[in-house]
Short mmCIF file of all heavy atoms in Angstrom, two decimals:
data_model
loop_
_atom_site.label_atom_id
_atom_site.label_comp_id
_atom_site.label_asym_id
_atom_site.label_seq_id
_atom_site.Cartn_x
_atom_site.Cartn_y
_atom_site.Cartn_z
N MET A 116 0.88 -1.13 -0.04
CA MET A 116 0.06 -0.05 -0.01
C MET A 116 0.89 1.33 0.10
O MET A 116 1.87 1.33 0.76
CB MET A 116 -0.83 -0.05 1.23
CG MET A 116 -2.01 -1.00 1.15
SD MET A 116 -3.00 -0.93 2.60
CE MET A 116 -3.14 -2.68 3.01
N GLN A 117 0.43 2.26 -0.83
CA GLN A 117 1.27 3.43 -0.92
C GLN A 117 0.69 4.33 0.11
O GLN A 117 -0.50 4.43 0.43
CB GLN A 117 1.15 3.98 -2.27
CG GLN A 117 1.81 3.19 -3.35
CD GLN A 117 1.76 3.83 -4.73
OE1 GLN A 117 0.80 4.59 -5.07
NE2 GLN A 117 2.74 3.66 -5.51
N GLU A 118 1.62 5.29 0.44
CA GLU A 118 1.27 6.35 1.43
C GLU A 118 1.26 7.75 0.63
O GLU A 118 2.16 7.95 -0.16
CB GLU A 118 2.31 6.55 2.62
CG GLU A 118 2.05 7.61 3.50
CD GLU A 118 2.94 7.63 4.55
OE1 GLU A 118 4.07 8.19 4.54
OE2 GLU A 118 2.71 7.13 5.76
N ALA A 119 0.24 8.44 0.69
CA ALA A 119 0.13 9.75 0.17
C ALA A 119 0.65 10.82 1.11
O ALA A 119 0.38 10.78 2.30
CB ALA A 119 -1.25 10.19 -0.37
N GLN A 120 1.55 11.84 0.63
CA GLN A 120 2.10 12.79 1.53
C GLN A 120 2.14 14.23 0.88
O GLN A 120 2.20 14.27 -0.25
CB GLN A 120 3.54 12.55 1.86
CG GLN A 120 3.76 11.24 2.62
CD GLN A 120 5.13 11.12 3.05
OE1 GLN A 120 5.93 11.97 3.16
NE2 GLN A 120 5.56 9.78 3.33
N GLU A 121 1.85 15.11 1.76
CA GLU A 121 1.92 16.49 1.27
C GLU A 121 2.16 17.50 2.43
O GLU A 121 1.93 17.08 3.48
CB GLU A 121 0.61 16.94 0.50
CG GLU A 121 -0.46 17.15 1.28
CD GLU A 121 -1.68 18.00 0.51
OE1 GLU A 121 -1.77 17.53 -0.73
OE2 GLU A 121 -2.22 18.82 1.00
N GLU A 122 2.70 18.59 2.19
CA GLU A 122 2.78 19.73 3.12
C GLU A 122 1.65 20.64 2.87
O GLU A 122 1.52 21.12 1.75
CB GLU A 122 4.10 20.37 3.01
CG GLU A 122 4.41 21.24 4.18
CD GLU A 122 5.83 21.72 4.00
OE1 GLU A 122 6.79 21.00 3.87
OE2 GLU A 122 6.05 22.94 4.34
N TYR A 123 1.03 21.00 3.92
CA TYR A 123 -0.17 21.89 3.81
C TYR A 123 -0.02 22.95 5.08
O TYR A 123 -0.16 22.54 6.27
CB TYR A 123 -1.55 21.15 3.84
CG TYR A 123 -2.76 21.97 3.76
CD1 TYR A 123 -3.07 22.55 2.59
CD2 TYR A 123 -3.49 22.04 4.85
CE1 TYR A 123 -4.23 23.25 2.54
CE2 TYR A 123 -4.68 22.89 4.73
CZ TYR A 123 -5.02 23.48 3.52
OH TYR A 123 -6.18 24.18 3.40
N ARG A 124 0.01 24.08 4.75
CA ARG A 124 -0.07 25.28 5.82
C ARG A 124 0.77 25.01 6.97
O ARG A 124 0.37 25.18 8.16
CB ARG A 124 -1.54 25.46 6.07
CG ARG A 124 -2.37 25.93 4.99
CD ARG A 124 -3.84 26.28 5.41
NE ARG A 124 -3.81 27.60 6.04
CZ ARG A 124 -4.82 28.11 6.55
NH1 ARG A 124 -5.98 27.33 6.53
NH2 ARG A 124 -4.81 29.17 7.24
N GLY A 125 2.00 24.47 6.77
CA GLY A 125 2.92 24.24 7.94
C GLY A 125 2.85 22.92 8.69
O GLY A 125 3.52 22.65 9.60
N TYR A 126 2.03 21.96 8.06
CA TYR A 126 1.85 20.71 8.45
C TYR A 126 2.23 19.59 7.49
O TYR A 126 2.03 19.86 6.27
CB TYR A 126 0.47 20.40 8.95
CG TYR A 126 0.21 21.05 10.29
CD1 TYR A 126 -0.22 22.45 10.26
CD2 TYR A 126 0.27 20.54 11.50
CE1 TYR A 126 -0.59 23.09 11.54
CE2 TYR A 126 0.04 21.09 12.66
CZ TYR A 126 -0.43 22.44 12.75
OH TYR A 126 -0.67 23.08 13.81
N ARG A 127 2.84 18.44 7.90
CA ARG A 127 2.99 17.38 6.94
C ARG A 127 1.84 16.36 7.21
O ARG A 127 1.51 16.05 8.34
CB ARG A 127 4.29 16.68 7.31
CG ARG A 127 4.66 15.56 6.36
CD ARG A 127 6.02 14.87 6.80
NE ARG A 127 6.04 13.50 6.42
CZ ARG A 127 5.32 12.48 7.01
NH1 ARG A 127 4.61 12.66 8.10
NH2 ARG A 127 5.52 11.22 6.58
N ILE A 128 1.20 16.09 6.10
CA ILE A 128 0.09 15.21 6.19
C ILE A 128 0.55 13.81 5.40
O ILE A 128 1.06 13.89 4.34
CB ILE A 128 -1.07 15.82 5.28
CG1 ILE A 128 -1.64 17.01 5.97
CG2 ILE A 128 -2.26 14.55 5.27
CD1 ILE A 128 -2.62 17.79 5.21
N ALA A 129 0.35 12.72 6.18
CA ALA A 129 0.68 11.38 5.45
C ALA A 129 -0.62 10.45 5.72
O ALA A 129 -1.12 10.37 6.77
CB ALA A 129 1.84 10.66 6.25
N VAL A 130 -1.06 9.99 4.49
CA VAL A 130 -2.35 9.30 4.46
C VAL A 130 -2.01 7.86 4.00
O VAL A 130 -1.40 7.63 3.07
CB VAL A 130 -3.42 9.82 3.57
CG1 VAL A 130 -4.73 9.00 3.54
CG2 VAL A 130 -3.73 11.22 4.18
N THR A 131 -2.49 6.76 4.64
CA THR A 131 -2.37 5.53 4.30
C THR A 131 -3.73 4.81 4.10
O THR A 131 -4.65 4.88 5.00
CB THR A 131 -1.64 4.62 5.38
OG1 THR A 131 -0.39 5.23 5.61
CG2 THR A 131 -1.34 3.23 4.86
N ALA A 132 -3.98 4.18 3.00
CA ALA A 132 -5.26 3.66 2.67
C ALA A 132 -5.16 2.12 3.19
O ALA A 132 -4.11 1.45 3.10
CB ALA A 132 -5.68 3.60 1.15
N MET A 133 -6.33 1.49 3.59
CA MET A 133 -6.30 0.21 4.06
C MET A 133 -7.75 -0.51 3.79
O MET A 133 -8.71 0.25 3.81
CB MET A 133 -5.99 0.06 5.58
CG MET A 133 -6.96 0.79 6.44
SD MET A 133 -6.19 0.96 8.10
CE MET A 133 -6.60 2.73 8.21
N LYS A 134 -7.66 -1.71 3.55
CA LYS A 134 -8.93 -2.55 3.27
C LYS A 134 -9.59 -2.71 4.74
O LYS A 134 -9.07 -2.99 5.71
CB LYS A 134 -8.56 -3.91 2.76
CG LYS A 134 -8.26 -3.80 1.23
CD LYS A 134 -9.49 -4.19 0.45
CE LYS A 134 -9.01 -4.25 -1.04
NZ LYS A 134 -9.83 -5.00 -1.81
N ASP A 135 -10.82 -2.55 4.64
CA ASP A 135 -11.76 -2.83 5.80
C ASP A 135 -12.27 -4.22 5.63
O ASP A 135 -11.93 -5.02 4.82
CB ASP A 135 -12.84 -1.80 6.00
CG ASP A 135 -13.93 -1.85 4.97
OD1 ASP A 135 -13.95 -2.82 4.12
OD2 ASP A 135 -14.86 -0.99 4.93
N CYS A 136 -13.14 -4.61 6.59
CA CYS A 136 -13.61 -6.10 6.72
C CYS A 136 -14.61 -6.28 5.64
O CYS A 136 -14.97 -7.45 5.32
CB CYS A 136 -14.15 -6.18 8.04
SG CYS A 136 -15.60 -5.28 8.52
N GLU A 137 -15.11 -5.31 4.90
CA GLU A 137 -16.15 -5.58 3.93
C GLU A 137 -15.64 -5.34 2.54
O GLU A 137 -16.23 -5.01 1.57
CB GLU A 137 -17.39 -4.66 4.06
CG GLU A 137 -18.03 -4.93 5.33
CD GLU A 137 -19.27 -4.02 5.59
OE1 GLU A 137 -19.75 -3.37 4.53
OE2 GLU A 137 -19.86 -4.13 6.70
N ASP A 138 -14.23 -5.39 2.33
CA ASP A 138 -13.38 -5.23 1.11
C ASP A 138 -13.58 -3.85 0.48
O ASP A 138 -13.47 -3.73 -0.77
CB ASP A 138 -13.92 -6.31 0.11
CG ASP A 138 -12.85 -7.09 -0.44
OD1 ASP A 138 -11.74 -7.01 0.05
OD2 ASP A 138 -12.98 -7.75 -1.38
N MET A 139 -13.84 -2.86 1.26
CA MET A 139 -13.90 -1.47 0.82
C MET A 139 -12.48 -0.92 1.42
O MET A 139 -11.81 -1.42 2.17
CB MET A 139 -15.07 -0.58 1.38
CG MET A 139 -16.39 -1.26 0.81
SD MET A 139 -16.68 -1.04 -0.78
CE MET A 139 -16.96 0.77 -0.99
N TRP A 140 -12.26 0.31 0.98
CA TRP A 140 -11.02 1.12 1.48
C TRP A 140 -11.37 2.13 2.43
O TRP A 140 -12.19 2.85 2.16
CB TRP A 140 -10.28 1.68 0.16
CG TRP A 140 -9.77 0.64 -0.71
CD1 TRP A 140 -10.21 0.00 -1.81
CD2 TRP A 140 -8.41 0.13 -0.47
NE1 TRP A 140 -9.47 -0.88 -2.24
CE2 TRP A 140 -8.33 -0.92 -1.50
CE3 TRP A 140 -7.39 0.18 0.47
CZ2 TRP A 140 -7.15 -1.60 -1.74
CZ3 TRP A 140 -6.23 -0.50 0.28
CH2 TRP A 140 -6.03 -1.44 -0.77
N ASP A 141 -10.59 2.17 3.48
CA ASP A 141 -10.71 3.27 4.42
C ASP A 141 -9.28 3.94 4.58
O ASP A 141 -8.43 3.48 3.84
CB ASP A 141 -11.16 2.82 5.90
CG ASP A 141 -12.50 2.22 5.79
OD1 ASP A 141 -13.43 3.01 5.22
OD2 ASP A 141 -12.85 1.17 6.31
N PHE A 142 -9.12 4.93 5.43
CA PHE A 142 -7.85 5.52 5.54
C PHE A 142 -7.46 5.86 6.98
O PHE A 142 -8.28 6.00 7.84
CB PHE A 142 -7.70 6.80 4.60
CG PHE A 142 -8.76 7.87 5.04
CD1 PHE A 142 -8.35 8.76 6.15
CD2 PHE A 142 -9.88 7.88 4.38
CE1 PHE A 142 -9.34 9.80 6.42
CE2 PHE A 142 -10.84 8.96 4.66
CZ PHE A 142 -10.53 9.85 5.66
N GLU A 143 -6.09 6.12 7.19
CA GLU A 143 -5.60 6.59 8.40
C GLU A 143 -4.67 7.79 8.00
O GLU A 143 -3.97 7.67 7.07
CB GLU A 143 -4.81 5.54 9.07
CG GLU A 143 -4.07 5.83 10.35
CD GLU A 143 -3.45 4.57 10.96
OE1 GLU A 143 -4.14 3.90 11.66
OE2 GLU A 143 -2.37 4.41 10.73
N TYR A 144 -4.80 8.78 8.84
CA TYR A 144 -3.79 9.82 8.46
C TYR A 144 -3.03 10.40 9.74
O TYR A 144 -3.55 10.26 10.86
CB TYR A 144 -4.51 11.03 7.71
CG TYR A 144 -5.52 11.76 8.54
CD1 TYR A 144 -5.10 12.90 9.29
CD2 TYR A 144 -6.92 11.46 8.52
CE1 TYR A 144 -6.13 13.63 9.93
CE2 TYR A 144 -7.80 12.08 9.14
CZ TYR A 144 -7.38 13.13 9.91
OH TYR A 144 -8.35 13.96 10.56
N GLU A 145 -1.95 10.99 9.47
CA GLU A 145 -1.08 11.59 10.47
C GLU A 145 -0.80 13.04 10.23
O GLU A 145 -0.31 13.29 8.96
CB GLU A 145 0.17 10.79 10.77
CG GLU A 145 1.06 11.17 11.98
CD GLU A 145 2.28 10.29 12.10
OE1 GLU A 145 1.93 9.22 12.80
OE2 GLU A 145 3.19 10.64 11.73
N ILE A 146 -0.98 13.82 11.00
CA ILE A 146 -0.50 15.42 10.90
C ILE A 146 0.49 15.71 11.86
O ILE A 146 0.41 15.45 13.01
CB ILE A 146 -1.84 16.20 11.13
CG1 ILE A 146 -3.01 15.86 10.22
CG2 ILE A 146 -1.49 17.70 11.05
CD1 ILE A 146 -4.30 16.56 10.68
N THR A 147 1.56 16.19 11.26
CA THR A 147 2.75 16.55 12.04
C THR A 147 3.18 17.86 11.65
O THR A 147 3.35 18.28 10.47
CB THR A 147 3.98 15.52 11.68
OG1 THR A 147 3.60 14.29 11.73
CG2 THR A 147 5.05 15.78 12.48
N PRO A 148 3.37 18.87 12.70
CA PRO A 148 3.94 20.22 12.38
C PRO A 148 5.32 20.09 11.78
O PRO A 148 6.09 19.38 12.22
CB PRO A 148 4.01 20.81 13.74
CG PRO A 148 3.06 20.05 14.66
CD PRO A 148 3.18 18.52 14.07
N VAL A 149 5.50 20.89 10.61
CA VAL A 149 6.71 20.80 10.00
C VAL A 149 7.94 21.44 10.80
O VAL A 149 8.96 20.83 10.80
CB VAL A 149 6.68 21.64 8.61
CG1 VAL A 149 8.01 21.81 8.04
CG2 VAL A 149 5.64 20.84 7.72
N GLU A 150 7.66 22.44 11.56
CA GLU A 150 8.53 23.20 12.39
C GLU A 150 8.80 22.37 13.71
O GLU A 150 9.63 22.75 14.41
CB GLU A 150 8.09 24.52 12.75
CG GLU A 150 7.81 25.47 11.54
CD GLU A 150 9.22 25.72 10.89
OE1 GLU A 150 10.19 26.13 11.62
OE2 GLU A 150 9.37 25.89 9.70
N GLY A 151 8.05 21.39 14.02
CA GLY A 151 8.14 20.58 15.28
C GLY A 151 7.53 21.43 16.41
O GLY A 151 6.81 22.50 16.10
N GLY A 152 7.58 20.96 17.65
CA GLY A 152 7.05 21.68 18.80
C GLY A 152 5.51 21.60 18.94
O GLY A 152 4.96 22.33 19.64
N GLY A 153 4.90 20.70 18.23
CA GLY A 153 3.38 20.42 18.37
C GLY A 153 3.31 18.85 18.43
O GLY A 153 4.09 18.12 18.18
N ALA A 154 2.00 18.65 18.79
CA ALA A 154 1.55 17.34 18.71
C ALA A 154 1.37 16.69 17.51
O ALA A 154 0.82 17.27 16.57
CB ALA A 154 0.23 17.22 19.67
N VAL A 155 1.76 15.49 17.41
CA VAL A 155 1.46 14.65 16.21
C VAL A 155 -0.02 14.09 16.36
O VAL A 155 -0.39 13.53 17.43
CB VAL A 155 2.31 13.48 15.98
CG1 VAL A 155 1.88 12.57 14.89
CG2 VAL A 155 3.75 14.08 15.78
N ARG A 156 -0.91 14.21 15.31
CA ARG A 156 -2.18 13.80 15.48
C ARG A 156 -2.44 12.71 14.43
O ARG A 156 -2.16 12.77 13.26
CB ARG A 156 -3.19 14.90 15.11
CG ARG A 156 -3.01 16.12 16.03
CD ARG A 156 -3.71 17.35 15.53
NE ARG A 156 -3.38 18.47 16.39
CZ ARG A 156 -4.06 18.75 17.50
NH1 ARG A 156 -4.96 18.12 17.98
NH2 ARG A 156 -3.65 19.93 18.20
N THR A 157 -3.02 11.56 14.94
CA THR A 157 -3.33 10.35 14.15
C THR A 157 -4.83 10.15 14.28
O THR A 157 -5.36 10.10 15.27
CB THR A 157 -2.51 9.18 14.63
OG1 THR A 157 -1.23 9.42 14.60
CG2 THR A 157 -2.72 7.99 13.64
N ARG A 158 -5.40 9.99 13.08
CA ARG A 158 -6.81 9.81 13.01
C ARG A 158 -7.07 8.66 12.02
O ARG A 158 -6.24 8.44 10.98
CB ARG A 158 -7.63 11.03 12.49
CG ARG A 158 -7.33 12.38 13.26
CD ARG A 158 -8.12 12.26 14.56
NE ARG A 158 -8.07 13.57 15.12
CZ ARG A 158 -7.26 13.92 16.16
NH1 ARG A 158 -6.41 13.04 16.65
NH2 ARG A 158 -7.19 15.05 16.52
N ALA A 159 -8.13 7.99 12.02
CA ALA A 159 -8.60 7.02 11.01
C ALA A 159 -10.18 7.17 10.78
O ALA A 159 -10.95 7.55 11.64
CB ALA A 159 -8.38 5.52 11.65
N LYS A 160 -10.52 6.85 9.54
CA LYS A 160 -11.99 6.88 9.08
C LYS A 160 -12.19 5.37 8.70
O LYS A 160 -11.58 4.73 8.03
CB LYS A 160 -12.10 7.68 7.85
CG LYS A 160 -13.68 7.63 7.53
CD LYS A 160 -13.83 8.50 6.29
CE LYS A 160 -15.34 8.62 5.98
NZ LYS A 160 -15.93 7.27 5.62
N THR A 161 -13.09 4.89 9.54
CA THR A 161 -13.39 3.38 9.38
C THR A 161 -14.94 3.04 9.12
O THR A 161 -15.29 2.06 9.24
CB THR A 161 -12.94 2.68 10.57
OG1 THR A 161 -13.73 3.17 11.81
CG2 THR A 161 -11.49 2.62 10.83
N VAL A 162 -15.56 4.08 8.80
CA VAL A 162 -17.03 3.95 8.32
C VAL A 162 -17.33 4.34 6.85
O VAL A 162 -16.53 5.22 6.34
CB VAL A 162 -18.03 4.74 9.26
CG1 VAL A 162 -17.93 4.17 10.65
CG2 VAL A 162 -17.71 6.19 9.30
N GLY A 163 -18.13 3.75 6.29
CA GLY A 163 -18.45 4.14 4.95
C GLY A 163 -17.75 3.42 3.77
O GLY A 163 -18.24 2.49 3.31
N GLY A 164 -16.43 3.54 3.78
CA GLY A 164 -15.68 2.89 2.83
C GLY A 164 -15.65 3.55 1.34
O GLY A 164 -16.41 4.39 1.09
N TYR A 165 -14.48 3.31 0.74
CA TYR A 165 -14.39 3.90 -0.52
C TYR A 165 -14.09 2.67 -1.48
O TYR A 165 -13.52 1.62 -1.24
CB TYR A 165 -13.16 4.93 -0.66
CG TYR A 165 -13.35 6.03 0.32
CD1 TYR A 165 -13.01 5.93 1.70
CD2 TYR A 165 -13.97 7.16 -0.14
CE1 TYR A 165 -13.28 6.97 2.47
CE2 TYR A 165 -14.32 8.20 0.68
CZ TYR A 165 -13.90 8.10 2.00
OH TYR A 165 -14.27 9.19 2.92
N ALA A 166 -14.36 2.78 -2.86
CA ALA A 166 -14.23 1.92 -3.89
C ALA A 166 -12.76 1.42 -4.09
O ALA A 166 -12.55 0.38 -4.43
CB ALA A 166 -14.98 2.19 -5.04
N THR A 167 -11.84 2.54 -4.16
CA THR A 167 -10.48 2.17 -4.67
C THR A 167 -9.46 2.78 -3.49
O THR A 167 -9.94 3.67 -2.79
CB THR A 167 -10.26 2.85 -5.99
OG1 THR A 167 -10.16 4.27 -5.81
CG2 THR A 167 -11.10 2.36 -6.92
N GLU A 168 -8.31 2.26 -3.59
CA GLU A 168 -7.25 2.74 -2.70
C GLU A 168 -6.89 4.26 -2.96
O GLU A 168 -6.76 4.95 -1.92
CB GLU A 168 -6.05 1.88 -2.85
CG GLU A 168 -4.92 2.06 -1.99
CD GLU A 168 -3.64 1.32 -2.25
OE1 GLU A 168 -3.69 0.50 -3.15
OE2 GLU A 168 -2.67 1.31 -1.48
N GLU A 169 -6.88 4.68 -4.13
CA GLU A 169 -6.54 6.02 -4.65
C GLU A 169 -7.64 6.91 -4.02
O GLU A 169 -7.29 8.04 -3.60
CB GLU A 169 -6.49 6.02 -6.07
CG GLU A 169 -6.05 7.40 -6.54
CD GLU A 169 -6.03 7.61 -8.08
OE1 GLU A 169 -6.06 6.50 -8.79
OE2 GLU A 169 -5.92 8.71 -8.48
N VAL A 170 -8.85 6.54 -4.11
CA VAL A 170 -9.92 7.51 -3.60
C VAL A 170 -9.83 7.61 -2.21
O VAL A 170 -9.97 8.69 -1.69
CB VAL A 170 -11.34 7.02 -4.17
CG1 VAL A 170 -12.50 7.77 -3.51
CG2 VAL A 170 -11.42 7.07 -5.68
N ALA A 171 -9.58 6.51 -1.45
CA ALA A 171 -9.44 6.68 -0.12
C ALA A 171 -8.26 7.60 0.37
O ALA A 171 -8.43 8.40 1.29
CB ALA A 171 -9.26 5.20 0.49
N ARG A 172 -7.22 7.43 -0.31
CA ARG A 172 -6.07 8.38 0.06
C ARG A 172 -6.40 9.72 -0.28
O ARG A 172 -6.19 10.78 0.54
CB ARG A 172 -4.73 7.94 -0.83
CG ARG A 172 -4.03 6.79 -0.23
CD ARG A 172 -2.63 6.71 -0.85
NE ARG A 172 -2.63 6.54 -2.41
CZ ARG A 172 -2.76 5.52 -3.09
NH1 ARG A 172 -2.82 4.22 -2.42
NH2 ARG A 172 -2.78 5.56 -4.38
N MET A 173 -7.06 10.14 -1.33
CA MET A 173 -7.54 11.43 -1.61
C MET A 173 -8.48 11.94 -0.64
O MET A 173 -8.35 13.14 -0.14
CB MET A 173 -8.14 11.53 -3.17
CG MET A 173 -7.14 11.29 -4.26
SD MET A 173 -7.65 11.40 -5.88
CE MET A 173 -9.46 11.46 -5.83
N ALA A 174 -9.43 11.17 -0.23
CA ALA A 174 -10.37 11.60 0.86
C ALA A 174 -9.63 11.81 2.02
O ALA A 174 -9.95 12.77 2.76
CB ALA A 174 -11.40 10.44 1.05
N GLY A 175 -8.54 11.11 2.50
CA GLY A 175 -7.88 11.26 3.58
C GLY A 175 -7.14 12.57 3.62
O GLY A 175 -7.07 13.33 4.67
N ILE A 176 -6.52 12.93 2.56
CA ILE A 176 -5.79 14.27 2.36
C ILE A 176 -6.79 15.36 2.57
O ILE A 176 -6.57 16.39 3.34
CB ILE A 176 -5.22 14.36 0.97
CG1 ILE A 176 -3.97 13.38 0.83
CG2 ILE A 176 -4.83 15.82 0.74
CD1 ILE A 176 -2.72 13.90 1.50
N GLU A 177 -8.05 15.32 1.97
CA GLU A 177 -9.04 16.32 2.22
C GLU A 177 -9.49 16.40 3.72
O GLU A 177 -9.69 17.66 4.16
CB GLU A 177 -10.31 16.13 1.27
CG GLU A 177 -9.93 16.26 -0.21
CD GLU A 177 -9.43 17.70 -0.57
OE1 GLU A 177 -10.00 18.65 -0.04
OE2 GLU A 177 -8.45 17.76 -1.21
N VAL A 178 -9.72 15.36 4.29
CA VAL A 178 -10.16 15.40 5.72
C VAL A 178 -9.08 16.00 6.59
O VAL A 178 -9.21 16.74 7.47
CB VAL A 178 -10.58 14.02 6.17
CG1 VAL A 178 -10.75 13.88 7.69
CG2 VAL A 178 -11.71 13.54 5.45
N ALA A 179 -7.71 15.52 6.26
CA ALA A 179 -6.69 16.13 7.14
C ALA A 179 -6.52 17.56 6.89
O ALA A 179 -6.20 18.34 7.83
CB ALA A 179 -5.34 15.40 6.80
N ARG A 180 -6.66 18.14 5.62
CA ARG A 180 -6.53 19.55 5.35
C ARG A 180 -7.53 20.36 6.14
O ARG A 180 -7.37 21.46 6.71
CB ARG A 180 -6.92 19.87 3.84
CG ARG A 180 -5.64 19.39 3.00
CD ARG A 180 -6.07 19.73 1.55
NE ARG A 180 -4.96 19.33 0.66
CZ ARG A 180 -5.18 19.28 -0.70
NH1 ARG A 180 -6.37 19.67 -1.20
NH2 ARG A 180 -4.08 18.93 -1.41
N ILE A 181 -8.77 19.68 6.40
CA ILE A 181 -9.92 20.39 6.96
C ILE A 181 -9.39 20.40 8.61
O ILE A 181 -9.65 21.49 9.22
CB ILE A 181 -11.15 19.67 7.00
CG1 ILE A 181 -11.80 19.80 5.49
CG2 ILE A 181 -12.21 20.08 7.93
CD1 ILE A 181 -12.87 19.00 5.15
N GLU A 182 -8.91 19.43 9.06
CA GLU A 182 -8.41 19.45 10.51
C GLU A 182 -7.27 20.49 10.71
O GLU A 182 -7.27 21.20 11.74
CB GLU A 182 -7.84 17.98 10.78
CG GLU A 182 -7.49 17.93 12.40
CD GLU A 182 -7.23 16.66 12.92
OE1 GLU A 182 -7.49 15.61 12.33
OE2 GLU A 182 -6.68 16.57 14.07
N VAL A 183 -6.34 20.59 9.72
CA VAL A 183 -5.36 21.63 9.80
C VAL A 183 -5.96 22.97 9.81
O VAL A 183 -5.60 23.83 10.61
CB VAL A 183 -4.29 21.47 8.58
CG1 VAL A 183 -3.37 22.69 8.45
CG2 VAL A 183 -3.47 20.18 8.90
N ASP A 184 -6.89 23.21 8.87
CA ASP A 184 -7.65 24.47 8.79
C ASP A 184 -8.32 24.76 10.16
O ASP A 184 -8.11 26.02 10.64
CB ASP A 184 -8.55 24.53 7.72
CG ASP A 184 -8.14 24.53 6.37
OD1 ASP A 184 -6.84 24.82 6.22
OD2 ASP A 184 -8.75 24.22 5.33
N ASN A 185 -8.85 23.93 10.79
CA ASN A 185 -9.47 24.07 11.99
C ASN A 185 -8.37 24.28 13.21
O ASN A 185 -8.66 25.10 14.13
CB ASN A 185 -10.30 22.84 12.43
CG ASN A 185 -11.65 22.74 11.59
OD1 ASN A 185 -12.12 23.83 11.11
ND2 ASN A 185 -12.26 21.54 11.41
N LEU A 186 -7.31 23.58 13.07
CA LEU A 186 -6.32 23.93 14.08
C LEU A 186 -5.81 25.33 14.01
O LEU A 186 -5.53 25.99 15.07
CB LEU A 186 -5.20 22.87 13.97
CG LEU A 186 -5.31 21.49 14.23
CD1 LEU A 186 -4.13 20.61 13.75
CD2 LEU A 186 -5.44 21.32 15.78
N LEU A 187 -5.65 25.78 12.82
CA LEU A 187 -5.10 27.18 12.62
C LEU A 187 -6.23 28.25 12.98
O LEU A 187 -5.80 29.48 13.24
CB LEU A 187 -4.61 27.27 11.24
CG LEU A 187 -3.40 26.46 10.84
CD1 LEU A 187 -3.11 26.55 9.39
CD2 LEU A 187 -2.25 26.71 11.67
N ARG A 188 -7.45 28.00 13.00
CA ARG A 188 -8.42 28.86 13.40
C ARG A 188 -8.47 29.28 14.91
O ARG A 188 -8.93 30.23 15.24
CB ARG A 188 -9.89 28.33 13.01
CG ARG A 188 -10.16 28.67 11.60
CD ARG A 188 -11.67 28.37 11.43
NE ARG A 188 -11.74 28.32 9.97
CZ ARG A 188 -12.31 27.24 9.43
NH1 ARG A 188 -12.66 26.15 9.99
NH2 ARG A 188 -12.34 27.16 8.09
N THR A 189 -7.90 28.25 15.70
CA THR A 189 -8.07 28.45 17.16
C THR A 189 -6.85 29.34 17.67
O THR A 189 -5.87 29.60 17.00
CB THR A 189 -7.92 27.10 17.98
OG1 THR A 189 -6.78 26.47 17.57
CG2 THR A 189 -9.34 26.42 17.53
#
């Protein structure tokens, strides 16, 4: 399984897709501050499922971006 990575607004996002028990794809992601000095956040989406590994990775990137946006609002 491949990992999708990108840097977004000062955070490194890493997303890994994984098969769930119903043969659909879900994802897990990790958000790490690029500069250091912050908490590493790990989240997983395990409901719903996606048809392909690629779509699950793309969805994970989008969800992680929203979390970063919310972190920067506070």
